[in-house]
Amino acid sequence: MSFTAKVVTAPKQRSHCLVVAVYEGGKLSPSAQAIEEAGGQLGALCKREGFKGKAGQTLLLLSPTGISAERLLVIGMGKAPVSANDYRKAVDKGLLALKNTACKDLCLCLGEVSVKDRDAQWQARQVAELLGAQQYRFTRFKSSSPDDNFAPSKIVFGCQETSQVNLAKAGLETGAAVAKGVALARELGDLPGNVCTPTYLANEAKQLARGQTKLSVKVLEEKQMKELGMGSLLSVSAGSEEPAKLIVMTYQGGAKSAAPVALVGKGITFDTGGISLKPGQGMDEMKYDMCGAASVLGTMKTLIELQAKINVVAIVAAAENMPDGRATKPGDIVTSMSGQTIEILNTDAEGRLVLCDALTYSARFKPKAVVDVATLTGACVIALGSHATGLYSNEDSLAEALLNAGEEANDRAWRMPLWDEYQKQLDSNFADIANIGGREAGSVTAACFLSRFVKKTPWAHLDVAGTAWRSGANKGATGRPVSLLVQYLLNQR
Ligand code: BES
Ligand code: MN
Ligand code: ZN
């Protein structure tokens, strides 16, 4: 797909489909107005079809008079000034309306729409991201391909003024790169546990680095992890035939001397619960328990696409959680790489067990900030549902930066407390710390557990159990929080 931005004169623009905006109440955008004047039918057609310009409303016209494009898609923007949400909704529904067309090249006259607190760069980025999201299909195990034929190859973002062109181009570039990262994260999430194993994730990371000068990948095997004292991580893979992997990706796009941001991903490629076996219903969804890792890999993919000038270290703790004769049992005590001993009261609270050793390991890169991403707790889904990612942090400015990035990227997080009062729920009679904190505040106590393994470094934890995938009829990975992470990292420059 090629993306470009330029100033366009709507009626004269040749394309398979021209997209113009109309506001709620029927007010035409400048391009829609120009088309009305050239063809003299747009206003009347909108009226006849009951098109009122509500956000997300669409009207597709074939071979309209007075314009050079083959089709005209009118999209409702809602009330002016347009909110960021309405704009996204309008673009998303607009693209959806083209699903059964054969349009190959598109021109969207959207630079002229002014969106509250946003600029042409953001507006163009949304187009590329939303289009990318709609093009995603998980077809690897389908014998026949889906029959919708909308597969555009050329996208023009129409600007109103030349001052918008470079901004829009940058937005399209970022959006297309984010879309690729999101697609990778979704693909890895959607892959079944028998294919997407820890070894598969490690190979995927190596694949990403192939031919890249800024990215290098190292994979630690169980033997090396044992030497490092990662008794907690290894207690999770103990019951599995699949060896655990610690995947370390170093992206060096900035100055050698600049401290990196470390990203740490939970990569449980299947979570049966282990000896604390989960109930059978819906257990298939635990193939998504590596979505934190997938988002970290997806983010690296985007950074490569953009050749971003920053330093990032990504660490993926990959393991499979299975019951077995050698599996860890409730009551077992293990020693983590940090030296702290852990009483494993529930083998289903395994995410924190792999993450704690990965967090300890991350310290060797002297990161300026560490952000871990994990489908960590069902409790977080109960607390926040599927709209917001749970955010925990030991540092207000880092929390703020992540919240803002989520807002900007439409991939929102919500801050949760990490107060000392919760810490005592993790007291153990037999070891330094227990791996569960009881029924109350399950998402908070999981974060508290992780906090014990970071010292002075600014650290944040993103619990994406509710946001990284959808259940139900539209079951599938969402690619969240790639967009948030990329935004946060790009804001670092
Ligand atoms: N992977 C799950 C968390 C999860 C559950 C994510 C449901 C999405 C939907 C995690 O490993 C887990 O099992 N957590 C337990 C912790 C409990 C044993 C303290 C949970 O949330 O029930
Ligand atoms: Mn679990
Ligand atoms: Zn899990």
Side-chain angles (χ1 to χ4, degrees), residues 363-424:
R364 67 178 53 200
F365 300 99
K366 301 193 169 43
K368 60 178 176 185
V370 183
V371 181
D372 76 69
V373 192
T375 50
L376 204 61
T377 63
C380 189
V381 190
I382 301 303
L384 297 173
S386 60
H387 303 294
T389 292
L391 165 67
Y392 296 85
S393 183
N394 62 2
E395 229 259 342
D396 291 345
S397 65
L398 175 60
E400 198 74 10
L402 288 163
L403 289 172
N404 289 338
E407 205 64 57
E408 204 175 337
N410 196 59
D411 187 358
R412 288 192 290 183
W414 188 256
R415 191 164 182 190
M416 303 276 281
L418 198 65
W419 299 327
D420 275 346
E421 285 85 339
Y422 291 103
Q423 292 280 355
K424 61 175 173 299

Short mmCIF file of all heavy atoms in Angstrom, two decimals, residues 363-424:
data_model
loop_
_atom_site.label_atom_id
_atom_site.label_comp_id
_atom_site.label_asym_id
_atom_site.label_seq_id
_atom_site.Cartn_x
_atom_site.Cartn_y
_atom_site.Cartn_z
N ALA A 363 17.62 -4.81 34.66
CA ALA A 363 18.44 -3.80 35.35
C ALA A 363 19.84 -3.69 34.73
O ALA A 363 20.45 -2.63 34.79
CB ALA A 363 18.55 -4.14 36.83
N ARG A 364 20.33 -4.79 34.12
CA ARG A 364 21.69 -4.74 33.58
C ARG A 364 21.83 -3.78 32.40
O ARG A 364 22.92 -3.42 32.01
CB ARG A 364 22.17 -6.14 33.19
CG ARG A 364 21.42 -6.76 32.02
CD ARG A 364 22.00 -8.12 31.69
NE ARG A 364 22.04 -8.96 32.91
CZ ARG A 364 22.82 -10.03 33.04
NH1 ARG A 364 23.61 -10.40 32.05
NH2 ARG A 364 22.80 -10.74 34.15
N PHE A 365 20.71 -3.35 31.84
CA PHE A 365 20.77 -2.40 30.72
C PHE A 365 20.70 -0.95 31.21
O PHE A 365 20.65 -0.02 30.42
CB PHE A 365 19.65 -2.69 29.72
CG PHE A 365 19.75 -4.08 29.13
CD1 PHE A 365 18.97 -5.12 29.62
CD2 PHE A 365 20.65 -4.34 28.11
CE1 PHE A 365 19.09 -6.40 29.11
CE2 PHE A 365 20.78 -5.62 27.59
CZ PHE A 365 20.00 -6.66 28.09
N LYS A 366 20.66 -0.78 32.52
CA LYS A 366 20.56 0.55 33.13
C LYS A 366 19.53 1.43 32.42
O LYS A 366 19.82 2.55 31.97
CB LYS A 366 21.93 1.24 33.14
CG LYS A 366 22.97 0.44 33.91
CD LYS A 366 24.22 1.26 34.18
CE LYS A 366 25.16 0.60 35.17
NZ LYS A 366 25.35 -0.86 34.98
N PRO A 367 18.30 0.92 32.31
CA PRO A 367 17.28 1.66 31.57
C PRO A 367 16.85 2.93 32.31
O PRO A 367 16.93 2.99 33.54
CB PRO A 367 16.12 0.67 31.49
CG PRO A 367 16.30 -0.22 32.67
CD PRO A 367 17.78 -0.33 32.89
N LYS A 368 16.39 3.93 31.53
CA LYS A 368 15.88 5.13 32.19
C LYS A 368 14.45 4.90 32.66
O LYS A 368 13.96 5.60 33.54
CB LYS A 368 15.99 6.35 31.27
CG LYS A 368 15.22 6.26 29.97
CD LYS A 368 15.37 7.55 29.19
CE LYS A 368 14.68 7.43 27.83
NZ LYS A 368 14.88 8.59 26.99
N ALA A 369 13.78 3.91 32.06
CA ALA A 369 12.45 3.52 32.50
C ALA A 369 12.20 2.08 32.07
O ALA A 369 12.74 1.64 31.05
CB ALA A 369 11.39 4.43 31.90
N VAL A 370 11.41 1.37 32.85
CA VAL A 370 11.02 0.00 32.50
C VAL A 370 9.50 -0.07 32.44
O VAL A 370 8.82 0.38 33.36
CB VAL A 370 11.49 -1.03 33.56
CG1 VAL A 370 11.14 -2.44 33.13
CG2 VAL A 370 12.98 -0.91 33.81
N VAL A 371 8.98 -0.60 31.35
CA VAL A 371 7.53 -0.76 31.22
C VAL A 371 7.25 -2.23 30.92
O VAL A 371 7.73 -2.76 29.92
CB VAL A 371 6.96 0.11 30.07
CG1 VAL A 371 5.45 -0.07 29.98
CG2 VAL A 371 7.32 1.57 30.27
N ASP A 372 6.52 -2.90 31.82
CA ASP A 372 6.16 -4.28 31.49
C ASP A 372 4.71 -4.34 31.02
O ASP A 372 3.88 -3.50 31.38
CB ASP A 372 6.42 -5.23 32.67
CG ASP A 372 5.38 -5.10 33.76
OD1 ASP A 372 4.21 -5.51 33.53
OD2 ASP A 372 5.72 -4.62 34.86
N VAL A 373 4.45 -5.30 30.15
CA VAL A 373 3.12 -5.46 29.55
C VAL A 373 2.69 -6.90 29.73
O VAL A 373 3.41 -7.82 29.33
CB VAL A 373 3.13 -5.14 28.04
CG1 VAL A 373 1.72 -5.01 27.52
CG2 VAL A 373 3.94 -3.89 27.74
N ALA A 374 1.51 -7.11 30.32
CA ALA A 374 1.11 -8.48 30.64
C ALA A 374 -0.40 -8.66 30.72
O ALA A 374 -1.11 -7.78 31.21
CB ALA A 374 1.73 -8.87 31.99
N THR A 375 -0.85 -9.79 30.21
CA THR A 375 -2.24 -10.20 30.46
C THR A 375 -2.21 -10.86 31.84
O THR A 375 -2.26 -12.06 31.96
CB THR A 375 -2.67 -11.22 29.39
OG1 THR A 375 -1.64 -12.24 29.32
CG2 THR A 375 -2.84 -10.58 28.03
N LEU A 376 -2.13 -10.00 32.86
CA LEU A 376 -1.75 -10.53 34.16
C LEU A 376 -2.88 -11.07 35.01
O LEU A 376 -2.73 -12.09 35.66
CB LEU A 376 -0.95 -9.48 34.94
CG LEU A 376 -0.03 -10.04 36.02
CD1 LEU A 376 1.02 -10.97 35.42
CD2 LEU A 376 0.65 -8.93 36.81
N THR A 377 -4.02 -10.35 35.05
CA THR A 377 -5.07 -10.78 35.99
C THR A 377 -6.49 -10.68 35.44
O THR A 377 -6.85 -9.72 34.76
CB THR A 377 -5.04 -9.92 37.28
OG1 THR A 377 -5.31 -8.56 36.96
CG2 THR A 377 -3.72 -10.03 38.00
N GLY A 378 -7.29 -11.68 35.78
CA GLY A 378 -8.72 -11.62 35.49
C GLY A 378 -9.35 -10.48 36.28
O GLY A 378 -10.32 -9.86 35.83
N ALA A 379 -8.77 -10.16 37.43
CA ALA A 379 -9.31 -9.09 38.28
C ALA A 379 -9.26 -7.75 37.56
O ALA A 379 -10.13 -6.88 37.78
CB ALA A 379 -8.52 -9.03 39.59
N CYS A 380 -8.28 -7.56 36.70
CA CYS A 380 -8.18 -6.29 35.97
C CYS A 380 -9.33 -6.18 34.97
O CYS A 380 -9.85 -5.09 34.72
CB CYS A 380 -6.83 -6.20 35.26
SG CYS A 380 -6.54 -4.57 34.56
N VAL A 381 -9.72 -7.32 34.41
CA VAL A 381 -10.85 -7.32 33.48
C VAL A 381 -12.13 -6.93 34.21
O VAL A 381 -12.98 -6.19 33.70
CB VAL A 381 -11.03 -8.70 32.81
CG1 VAL A 381 -12.03 -8.62 31.68
CG2 VAL A 381 -9.70 -9.26 32.33
N ILE A 382 -12.25 -7.42 35.45
CA ILE A 382 -13.43 -7.09 36.25
C ILE A 382 -13.42 -5.59 36.60
O ILE A 382 -14.44 -4.92 36.55
CB ILE A 382 -13.46 -7.94 37.55
CG1 ILE A 382 -13.49 -9.43 37.23
CG2 ILE A 382 -14.66 -7.56 38.43
CD1 ILE A 382 -14.62 -9.90 36.35
N ALA A 383 -12.24 -5.08 36.92
CA ALA A 383 -12.14 -3.67 37.33
C ALA A 383 -12.37 -2.71 36.17
O ALA A 383 -13.10 -1.73 36.31
CB ALA A 383 -10.77 -3.41 37.96
N LEU A 384 -11.77 -2.95 35.03
CA LEU A 384 -11.76 -1.95 33.96
C LEU A 384 -12.43 -2.41 32.66
O LEU A 384 -12.56 -1.61 31.73
CB LEU A 384 -10.31 -1.52 33.66
CG LEU A 384 -9.56 -0.83 34.80
CD1 LEU A 384 -8.10 -0.61 34.41
CD2 LEU A 384 -10.21 0.50 35.14
N GLY A 385 -12.81 -3.66 32.60
CA GLY A 385 -13.43 -4.15 31.37
C GLY A 385 -12.45 -4.12 30.21
O GLY A 385 -11.23 -4.24 30.41
N SER A 386 -12.98 -3.92 29.00
CA SER A 386 -12.11 -4.02 27.83
C SER A 386 -11.72 -2.66 27.27
O SER A 386 -11.11 -2.57 26.21
CB SER A 386 -12.81 -4.84 26.75
OG SER A 386 -14.02 -4.19 26.40
N HIS A 387 -12.07 -1.58 27.97
CA HIS A 387 -11.79 -0.25 27.41
C HIS A 387 -10.43 0.30 27.81
O HIS A 387 -9.74 0.89 26.98
CB HIS A 387 -12.90 0.72 27.79
CG HIS A 387 -14.24 0.25 27.33
ND1 HIS A 387 -14.55 0.15 25.99
CD2 HIS A 387 -15.31 -0.21 28.01
CE1 HIS A 387 -15.78 -0.33 25.88
NE2 HIS A 387 -16.25 -0.55 27.09
N ALA A 388 -10.08 0.11 29.07
CA ALA A 388 -8.81 0.68 29.53
C ALA A 388 -7.86 -0.40 30.02
O ALA A 388 -8.25 -1.36 30.67
CB ALA A 388 -9.08 1.68 30.66
N THR A 389 -6.60 -0.19 29.71
CA THR A 389 -5.52 -1.01 30.24
C THR A 389 -5.23 -0.52 31.66
O THR A 389 -5.25 0.68 31.91
CB THR A 389 -4.27 -0.82 29.34
OG1 THR A 389 -4.53 -1.40 28.07
CG2 THR A 389 -3.03 -1.43 29.96
N GLY A 390 -4.97 -1.44 32.56
CA GLY A 390 -4.62 -1.06 33.94
C GLY A 390 -3.18 -0.60 34.00
O GLY A 390 -2.28 -1.31 33.53
N LEU A 391 -2.96 0.59 34.55
CA LEU A 391 -1.60 1.15 34.63
C LEU A 391 -1.19 1.31 36.09
O LEU A 391 -1.93 1.89 36.90
CB LEU A 391 -1.57 2.51 33.93
CG LEU A 391 -0.36 3.42 34.20
CD1 LEU A 391 0.91 2.83 33.62
CD2 LEU A 391 -0.59 4.80 33.62
N TYR A 392 -0.02 0.79 36.42
CA TYR A 392 0.55 0.93 37.75
C TYR A 392 1.94 1.51 37.59
O TYR A 392 2.64 1.14 36.65
CB TYR A 392 0.67 -0.43 38.44
CG TYR A 392 -0.66 -1.10 38.69
CD1 TYR A 392 -1.27 -1.86 37.69
CD2 TYR A 392 -1.30 -0.97 39.91
CE1 TYR A 392 -2.50 -2.47 37.91
CE2 TYR A 392 -2.52 -1.58 40.15
CZ TYR A 392 -3.12 -2.33 39.15
OH TYR A 392 -4.32 -2.92 39.38
N SER A 393 2.34 2.41 38.49
CA SER A 393 3.70 2.93 38.38
C SER A 393 4.22 3.43 39.70
O SER A 393 3.46 3.87 40.56
CB SER A 393 3.74 4.05 37.34
OG SER A 393 5.08 4.51 37.20
N ASN A 394 5.54 3.35 39.84
CA ASN A 394 6.19 3.89 41.05
C ASN A 394 6.66 5.32 40.81
O ASN A 394 7.37 5.88 41.62
CB ASN A 394 7.37 2.99 41.46
CG ASN A 394 8.45 2.93 40.40
OD1 ASN A 394 8.36 3.57 39.35
ND2 ASN A 394 9.48 2.13 40.64
N GLU A 395 6.28 5.89 39.66
CA GLU A 395 6.80 7.22 39.29
C GLU A 395 5.74 8.02 38.55
O GLU A 395 5.30 7.64 37.46
CB GLU A 395 8.02 7.02 38.40
CG GLU A 395 9.23 7.81 38.79
CD GLU A 395 9.38 9.05 37.93
OE1 GLU A 395 8.77 9.11 36.84
OE2 GLU A 395 10.09 9.97 38.35
N ASP A 396 5.33 9.16 39.14
CA ASP A 396 4.21 9.92 38.57
C ASP A 396 4.45 10.41 37.15
O ASP A 396 3.55 10.38 36.32
CB ASP A 396 3.86 11.11 39.48
CG ASP A 396 3.26 10.66 40.80
OD1 ASP A 396 2.86 9.47 40.89
OD2 ASP A 396 3.19 11.47 41.74
N SER A 397 5.68 10.87 36.86
CA SER A 397 5.89 11.44 35.53
C SER A 397 5.84 10.35 34.45
O SER A 397 5.38 10.59 33.33
CB SER A 397 7.19 12.23 35.47
OG SER A 397 8.29 11.37 35.65
N LEU A 398 6.30 9.15 34.79
CA LEU A 398 6.21 8.04 33.84
C LEU A 398 4.74 7.65 33.61
O LEU A 398 4.30 7.44 32.48
CB LEU A 398 7.01 6.83 34.35
CG LEU A 398 6.91 5.55 33.52
CD1 LEU A 398 7.40 5.77 32.09
CD2 LEU A 398 7.71 4.42 34.17
N ALA A 399 3.99 7.59 34.71
CA ALA A 399 2.56 7.26 34.60
C ALA A 399 1.86 8.27 33.70
O ALA A 399 1.09 7.92 32.80
CB ALA A 399 1.93 7.24 35.99
N GLU A 400 2.17 9.54 33.95
CA GLU A 400 1.58 10.64 33.18
C GLU A 400 1.90 10.49 31.69
O GLU A 400 1.02 10.61 30.83
CB GLU A 400 2.17 11.95 33.71
CG GLU A 400 1.42 13.18 33.37
CD GLU A 400 0.13 13.31 34.16
OE1 GLU A 400 -0.08 12.53 35.12
OE2 GLU A 400 -0.66 14.17 33.82
N ALA A 401 3.16 10.21 31.41
CA ALA A 401 3.60 10.08 30.01
C ALA A 401 2.86 8.94 29.31
O ALA A 401 2.45 9.05 28.14
CB ALA A 401 5.11 9.85 29.96
N LEU A 402 2.66 7.84 30.03
CA LEU A 402 1.96 6.69 29.43
C LEU A 402 0.47 6.98 29.25
O LEU A 402 -0.13 6.62 28.23
CB LEU A 402 2.18 5.44 30.28
CG LEU A 402 3.60 4.86 30.20
CD1 LEU A 402 3.87 3.90 31.35
CD2 LEU A 402 3.84 4.16 28.86
N LEU A 403 -0.12 7.64 30.26
CA LEU A 403 -1.55 7.99 30.14
C LEU A 403 -1.77 8.91 28.95
O LEU A 403 -2.71 8.71 28.15
CB LEU A 403 -2.03 8.67 31.42
CG LEU A 403 -2.18 7.79 32.66
CD1 LEU A 403 -2.48 8.64 33.88
CD2 LEU A 403 -3.26 6.73 32.46
N ASN A 404 -0.89 9.91 28.81
CA ASN A 404 -1.03 10.85 27.69
C ASN A 404 -0.84 10.15 26.35
O ASN A 404 -1.57 10.43 25.39
CB ASN A 404 -0.01 11.99 27.81
CG ASN A 404 -0.37 12.93 28.95
OD1 ASN A 404 -1.52 12.99 29.38
ND2 ASN A 404 0.62 13.64 29.46
N ALA A 405 0.14 9.26 26.29
CA ALA A 405 0.38 8.53 25.04
C ALA A 405 -0.85 7.71 24.67
O ALA A 405 -1.25 7.66 23.50
CB ALA A 405 1.60 7.63 25.19
N GLY A 406 -1.46 7.09 25.66
CA GLY A 406 -2.65 6.28 25.41
C GLY A 406 -3.80 7.12 24.90
O GLY A 406 -4.55 6.73 24.00
N GLU A 407 -3.93 8.30 25.47
CA GLU A 407 -4.97 9.24 25.06
C GLU A 407 -4.77 9.64 23.60
O GLU A 407 -5.69 9.61 22.78
CB GLU A 407 -4.86 10.48 25.98
CG GLU A 407 -6.10 11.30 26.16
CD GLU A 407 -7.23 10.56 26.85
OE1 GLU A 407 -7.04 10.06 27.98
OE2 GLU A 407 -8.29 10.48 26.23
N GLU A 408 -3.54 9.98 23.27
CA GLU A 408 -3.20 10.46 21.94
C GLU A 408 -3.34 9.35 20.90
O GLU A 408 -3.74 9.59 19.75
CB GLU A 408 -1.76 10.98 21.97
CG GLU A 408 -1.44 11.99 20.89
CD GLU A 408 -0.04 12.57 21.06
OE1 GLU A 408 0.51 12.54 22.18
OE2 GLU A 408 0.49 13.03 20.04
N ALA A 409 -3.02 8.14 21.31
CA ALA A 409 -3.02 7.01 20.37
C ALA A 409 -4.36 6.28 20.37
O ALA A 409 -4.51 5.26 19.70
CB ALA A 409 -1.90 6.04 20.73
N ASN A 410 -5.32 6.80 21.12
CA ASN A 410 -6.61 6.13 21.24
C ASN A 410 -6.45 4.69 21.73
O ASN A 410 -7.06 3.75 21.21
CB ASN A 410 -7.34 6.14 19.89
CG ASN A 410 -8.80 5.80 20.06
OD1 ASN A 410 -9.52 6.48 20.78
ND2 ASN A 410 -9.24 4.73 19.43
N ASP A 411 -5.59 4.52 22.70
CA ASP A 411 -5.27 3.20 23.25
C ASP A 411 -5.10 3.46 24.75
O ASP A 411 -4.00 3.43 25.29
CB ASP A 411 -3.96 2.72 22.59
CG ASP A 411 -3.60 1.30 22.95
OD1 ASP A 411 -4.35 0.68 23.74
OD2 ASP A 411 -2.58 0.82 22.45
N ARG A 412 -6.22 3.72 25.40
CA ARG A 412 -6.15 4.33 26.72
C ARG A 412 -5.84 3.39 27.87
O ARG A 412 -6.19 2.21 27.85
CB ARG A 412 -7.47 5.04 27.02
CG ARG A 412 -7.61 6.31 26.19
CD ARG A 412 -8.73 7.15 26.69
NE ARG A 412 -10.02 6.54 26.39
CZ ARG A 412 -11.17 7.12 26.67
NH1 ARG A 412 -11.19 8.29 27.28
NH2 ARG A 412 -12.30 6.52 26.36
N ALA A 413 -5.21 3.98 28.88
CA ALA A 413 -4.91 3.28 30.13
C ALA A 413 -5.52 4.09 31.26
O ALA A 413 -5.86 5.26 31.08
CB ALA A 413 -3.41 3.14 30.31
N TRP A 414 -5.67 3.46 32.39
CA TRP A 414 -6.22 4.12 33.57
C TRP A 414 -5.35 3.75 34.77
O TRP A 414 -5.06 2.56 34.98
CB TRP A 414 -7.67 3.68 33.79
CG TRP A 414 -8.35 4.46 34.87
CD1 TRP A 414 -8.63 4.03 36.13
CD2 TRP A 414 -8.86 5.80 34.76
NE1 TRP A 414 -9.27 5.02 36.81
CE2 TRP A 414 -9.43 6.11 36.01
CE3 TRP A 414 -8.90 6.75 33.74
CZ2 TRP A 414 -10.01 7.35 36.27
CZ3 TRP A 414 -9.48 7.99 33.99
CH2 TRP A 414 -10.04 8.27 35.25
N ARG A 415 -4.94 4.77 35.52
CA ARG A 415 -4.02 4.49 36.62
C ARG A 415 -4.71 3.86 37.81
O ARG A 415 -5.78 4.29 38.22
CB ARG A 415 -3.29 5.76 37.05
CG ARG A 415 -2.15 5.44 37.99
CD ARG A 415 -1.19 6.58 38.12
NE ARG A 415 -0.07 6.23 38.99
CZ ARG A 415 0.81 7.10 39.42
NH1 ARG A 415 0.70 8.37 39.07
NH2 ARG A 415 1.80 6.72 40.21
N MET A 416 -4.06 2.87 38.36
CA MET A 416 -4.56 2.14 39.52
C MET A 416 -3.57 2.35 40.68
O MET A 416 -2.41 2.67 40.46
CB MET A 416 -4.67 0.65 39.19
CG MET A 416 -5.55 0.34 37.99
SD MET A 416 -7.29 0.25 38.43
CE MET A 416 -7.34 -1.40 39.14
N PRO A 417 -4.02 2.16 41.92
CA PRO A 417 -3.13 2.45 43.06
C PRO A 417 -2.11 1.34 43.32
O PRO A 417 -2.37 0.17 43.03
CB PRO A 417 -4.11 2.54 44.23
CG PRO A 417 -5.24 1.67 43.86
CD PRO A 417 -5.36 1.76 42.36
N LEU A 418 -1.01 1.79 43.86
CA LEU A 418 0.07 0.84 44.20
C LEU A 418 0.51 1.17 45.62
O LEU A 418 1.67 1.38 45.91
CB LEU A 418 1.22 1.07 43.20
CG LEU A 418 2.30 0.02 43.02
CD1 LEU A 418 1.71 -1.25 42.44
CD2 LEU A 418 3.38 0.54 42.10
N TRP A 419 -0.46 1.31 46.50
CA TRP A 419 -0.18 1.79 47.85
C TRP A 419 0.42 0.68 48.71
O TRP A 419 0.10 -0.51 48.55
CB TRP A 419 -1.47 2.31 48.51
CG TRP A 419 -2.08 3.46 47.77
CD1 TRP A 419 -1.43 4.43 47.09
CD2 TRP A 419 -3.48 3.75 47.63
NE1 TRP A 419 -2.32 5.31 46.54
CE2 TRP A 419 -3.59 4.93 46.87
CE3 TRP A 419 -4.65 3.14 48.10
CZ2 TRP A 419 -4.82 5.50 46.53
CZ3 TRP A 419 -5.87 3.71 47.78
CH2 TRP A 419 -5.95 4.88 47.00
N ASP A 420 1.24 1.14 49.66
CA ASP A 420 1.90 0.21 50.60
C ASP A 420 0.90 -0.68 51.33
O ASP A 420 1.20 -1.83 51.64
CB ASP A 420 2.70 1.00 51.64
CG ASP A 420 4.08 1.34 51.12
OD1 ASP A 420 4.48 0.75 50.09
OD2 ASP A 420 4.75 2.20 51.72
N GLU A 421 -0.27 -0.12 51.62
CA GLU A 421 -1.27 -0.88 52.38
C GLU A 421 -1.59 -2.24 51.72
O GLU A 421 -1.94 -3.19 52.41
CB GLU A 421 -2.59 -0.08 52.49
CG GLU A 421 -2.53 1.07 53.50
CD GLU A 421 -1.96 2.35 52.91
OE1 GLU A 421 -1.25 2.30 51.88
OE2 GLU A 421 -2.22 3.41 53.51
N TYR A 422 -1.48 -2.29 50.41
CA TYR A 422 -1.81 -3.56 49.73
C TYR A 422 -0.71 -4.61 49.85
O TYR A 422 -0.96 -5.79 49.68
CB TYR A 422 -2.05 -3.30 48.23
CG TYR A 422 -3.31 -2.51 47.92
CD1 TYR A 422 -3.24 -1.17 47.59
CD2 TYR A 422 -4.56 -3.14 47.94
CE1 TYR A 422 -4.38 -0.45 47.28
CE2 TYR A 422 -5.71 -2.42 47.63
CZ TYR A 422 -5.61 -1.07 47.31
OH TYR A 422 -6.74 -0.36 47.01
N GLN A 423 0.52 -4.10 50.10
CA GLN A 423 1.68 -5.01 50.04
C GLN A 423 1.57 -6.17 51.03
O GLN A 423 2.00 -7.28 50.73
CB GLN A 423 2.98 -4.23 50.29
CG GLN A 423 3.35 -3.26 49.18
CD GLN A 423 4.02 -3.93 47.97
OE1 GLN A 423 4.30 -5.13 47.99
NE2 GLN A 423 4.24 -3.14 46.93
N LYS A 424 0.97 -5.93 52.19
CA LYS A 424 1.00 -7.00 53.20
C LYS A 424 0.12 -8.20 52.83
O LYS A 424 0.24 -9.26 53.42
CB LYS A 424 0.72 -6.47 54.60
CG LYS A 424 -0.63 -5.82 54.81
CD LYS A 424 -0.79 -5.45 56.30
CE LYS A 424 -2.04 -4.64 56.56
NZ LYS A 424 -2.07 -3.34 55.81
#
